[in-house]
Amino acid sequence: MNMELQEKKAVIIKFAGDSGDGMQLTGGLFTSDTALSGSDLATFPDFPAEIRAPVGTLAGVSGFQLHFGSTEIFTPGDNFDVLVAMNAAALKVNIDYVNKGGTIIINEDGFDDKNLRLAKYPEGANPLDNGILSGFEIIKIPVTKLTREALKDVVLSTKEKDRCKNMFVLGFLLWRYNRNLDSTLSYLHAKFKKLPDIMAANEITLRTGYHFGETAEEFTSRFTVRPAPLEKGTYRSVMGNEAIVLGLITASQKSGLPLFYGSYPITPASNILQGLANHKHFGVKTFQAEDEIAAIGSAIGAAYGGNLAVTGTSGPGMALKGEAMGLALMLELPLVIINVQRGGPSTGLPTKTEQADLLQALYGRNGESPVPVIATKTPADCYETTIEACRIAVQHMTPVILLSDGYIANGAEPWKFPKAADIPEIKVGFASKKDSEEVFLPYKRDENLVREWAIPGAAGLTHRIGGLEKQADTGNVSYDPANHEYMVKIREAKVEKIADFIPPQQIESGAEKGKVLILGWGSTFGVCASVARRMLDEGCSVSHAHLRYLKPFPKNLGVLLSNFEKVIIPEINNGQLSKVIRDKFLTPAISYNKIMGMPIAHQELYDFVKSIY
């Protein structure tokens, strides 16, 4: 059979099915293969809050969106070119986001009477034959049936065989996009090496899906996407939380400090703990505490003992850690607190993304509690930003809050391997032993207002610790009003002085002066960048700047903002950075806010900026 190979510049695929259909794994494996092919990419996993949501229901739909192409990719895309719908609910939830003329790959076996009823389709209104799919390319495959047939000689239960149907879909898509099976087979062999029957079943199903594409007469086209012109180097696909793990280990190696991570499991930060637990060979110590308070308490103890101390959580855990963060601030010990943000308040939307906690990070502790805050902007950027958080903590003797979010944590993109020699050392100094006649002053400060890091048990370095206010220099408990005011001011000044050691704010795209500045932070990077570049191509006077340092701000930020007639701040919250910018610089920032548990779409931000322009 003659097969036409069509070239595509970019493709957006959404894998969708029941939360037990393995769509996250399918999307992740296709993403890994895509990264190996050299395409640039961005992903957006989207799944229910329940560990096992009600089967077949709209609330139970799990999805994984992948945008890949031969050009620079900034976002996972607004709408899809291809939708994989494993059941009726997956189709119903996603059909409005499929581009007209797009392709819908349907598992026919997921559209029986039970699935249609659970998806709340009216009786007799099967979408496969009532005309609502007109205008799309429809590929109907009895995936469940074909999977069972392929595995008829495999000694597994029907339930176990049905779990392999996602491999059929993956195999078919690898064929359709002109890929081979090598990387996926390597994963399956490594994953299931101790479960040979499961491994064999998945491999058989994967190959069956691939060969189905090769042999079915109705398929006359395959597609290919050329590699993207990425900077020369070695790349791998990396998720945000994976990059944080690698960044923490690198910071440990570059500082010469043993890494301690004390945490309590919480979505979407849990797999940082899981990831670090796999790296004991780097001297990493992980501690799963009984609660959030114990987790940060253990990390404070580790910092006091001379470790690179880290704790991780999400918004609800940050609330519980608040008092202990104040203690770390009062002690002036280095500590990194990672907040992988999610929708709130309370337990809110555990699996949905939101930039919900900026004000909490800046102000959410009792008393005057200044803490440096930095934010990562993409999955790959998590690596460098994590190292930077560790550097600030140990060199300025302060807790540091690192903000990520669910979109970044679970999203993926190509990451260029750095060379170890190109990563700067993190210089760490400990207090040295004093002469017998010299009194150790634990809160005596250097020219950067930083106190010394004294390891407990060191001769001549005995000192008092605790949460009560400290007398300047000596660290003794002090209730003196003037001393308290001085210490409050000096702690704030120390944090603000960090601005002397961070780079000036840069413009990502556009001119240094102009009509409109799109100012972003965190996971809005992709949409801000893509909208700015689109408008620049249209001849508009638009620039884009993206903040990593949120406390303190870069020293030139105020001047930079004043160079533009209008400043637009897109956020996945109710305007938190806008409030801070207005307060700090008296800039009449214009907010664009979305609080739906999902990223800002390219087209909606483009339309908004156009309307303001």
Side-chain angles (χ1 to χ4, degrees), residues 117-129:
R117 186 176 66 255
L118 288 168
K120 300 190 182 304
Y121 279 103
E123 189 156 347
N126 190 327
L128 299 189
D129 49 37

Side-chain angles (χ1 to χ4, degrees), residues 251-305:
S252 173
Q253 296 292 307
K254 287 294 181 177
S255 64
L257 298 173
L259 175 61
F260 177 90
Y261 187 80
S263 185
Y264 178 77
I266 182 171
T267 302
S270 298
N271 52 6
I272 299 175
L273 174 62
Q274 295 165 354
L276 284 170
N278 294 324
H279 293 289
K280 295 178 182 176
H281 53 288
F282 284 115
V284 177
K285 297 182 181 69
T286 54
F287 171 57
Q288 180 174 320
E290 64 269 30
D291 56 42
E292 296 282 6
I293 301 170
I296 190 171
S298 68
I300 292 171
Y304 183 55

Side-chain angles (χ1 to χ4, degrees), residues 83-100:
L83 170 65
V84 176
M86 296 297 286
N87 62 11
L91 178 67
K92 191 170 190 179
V93 167
N94 290 286
I95 189 170
D96 290 341
Y97 301 98
V98 184
N99 292 319
K100 283 300 177 186

Side-chain angles (χ1 to χ4, degrees), residues 431-436 438-442 454-455 457-463:
S432 57
K433 182 180 177 181
K434 306 301 177 186
D435 296 334
S436 57
E438 187 179 359
V439 176
F440 175 53
L441 299 174
I455 302 301
L461 301 182
T462 303
H463 61 287

Side-chain angles (χ1 to χ4, degrees), residues 51-64:
I51 293 174
R52 190 67 172 89
V55 177
T57 64
L58 300 176
V61 173
S62 177
F64 188 102

Side-chain angles (χ1 to χ4, degrees), residues 576-597:
Q576 296 186 24
L577 178 62
S578 296
K579 292 180 176 69
V580 178
I581 291 293
R582 292 185 194 115
D583 172 59
K584 181 79 172 177
F585 302 108
L586 302 181
T587 299
I590 302 167
S591 294
Y592 181 78
N593 306 119
K594 183 174 183 177
I595 320 168
M596 298 182 181

Side-chain angles (χ1 to χ4, degrees), residues 153-426:
D153 296 326
V154 177
V155 185
L156 291 175
S157 68
T158 301
K159 185 177 181 180
E160 289 173 319
K161 291 177 181 179
D162 286 352
R163 286 176 181 162
C164 298
K165 62 181 180 287
N166 62 328
M167 288 297 112
F168 184 101
V169 173
L170 179 59
F172 175 71
L173 284 169
L174 289 172
W175 169 82
R176 185 173 171 86
Y177 287 95
N178 197 32
R179 311 279 181 78
N180 61 51
L181 303 178
D182 294 348
S183 66
T184 306
L185 289 173
S186 296
Y187 169 84
L188 293 175
H189 291 169
K191 176 74 173 177
F192 298 114
K193 62 183 177 182
K194 295 182 180 179
L195 298 167
D197 291 340
I198 301 295
M199 180 176 68
N202 279 283
E203 181 173 346
I204 290 169
T205 310
L206 180 74
R207 293 185 184 278
T208 300
Y210 193 92
H211 295 314
F212 176 80
E214 284 184 320
T215 57
E217 293 183 359
E218 63 265 36
F219 306 128
T220 57
S221 295
R222 298 175 78 188
F223 305 96
T224 187
V225 177
R226 291 182 181 274
L230 300 174
E231 184 182 347
K232 194 172 182 180
T234 303
Y235 287 81
R236 60 161 280 188
S237 175
V238 71
M239 297 171 67
N241 280 356
E242 287 181 304
I244 286 176
V245 168
L246 295 170
L248 290 174
I249 293 170
T250 301
S252 173
Q253 296 292 307
K254 287 294 181 177
S255 64
L257 298 173
L259 175 61
F260 177 90
Y261 187 80
S263 185
Y264 178 77
I266 182 171
T267 302
S270 298
N271 52 6
I272 299 175
L273 174 62
Q274 295 165 354
L276 284 170
N278 294 324
H279 293 289
K280 295 178 182 176
H281 53 288
F282 284 115
V284 177
K285 297 182 181 69
T286 54
F287 171 57
Q288 180 174 320
E290 64 269 30
D291 56 42
E292 296 282 6
I293 301 170
I296 190 171
S298 68
I300 292 171
Y304 183 55
N307 292 264
L308 178 60
V310 188
T311 187
T313 188
S314 191
M318 288 291 283
L320 292 169
K321 294 179 189 290
E323 182 182 1
M325 274 189 265
L327 174 61
L329 181 151
M330 181 67 87
L331 297 175
E332 299 188 50
L333 284 172
L335 173 67
V336 175
I337 304 111
I338 299 168
N339 179 3
V340 187
Q341 301 163 96
R342 68 192 207 189
S346 187
T347 42
L349 304 173
T351 60
K352 307 300 180 183
T353 197
E354 196 169 308
Q355 293 177 297
D357 302 335
L358 176 59
L359 294 181
Q360 181 190 39
L362 293 171
Y363 307 118
R365 293 164 297 282
N366 65 295
E368 301 283 348
S369 299
V371 171
V373 179
I374 67 174
T376 185
K377 63 183 180 182
T378 68
D381 182 62
C382 285
Y383 180 76
E384 289 186 4
T385 307
T386 299
I387 295 172
E388 177 68 351
C390 295
R391 182 193 69 81
I392 292 172
V394 299
Q395 292 185 350
H396 296 272
M397 289 296 286
T398 178
V400 176
I401 295 174
L402 170 61
L403 294 176
S404 178
D405 63 33
Y407 175 34
I408 293 173
N410 297 309
E413 66 176 344
W415 172 54
K416 182 184 175 184
F417 279 179
K419 294 181 179 179
D422 294 336
I423 302 171
E425 299 294 323
I426 299 176

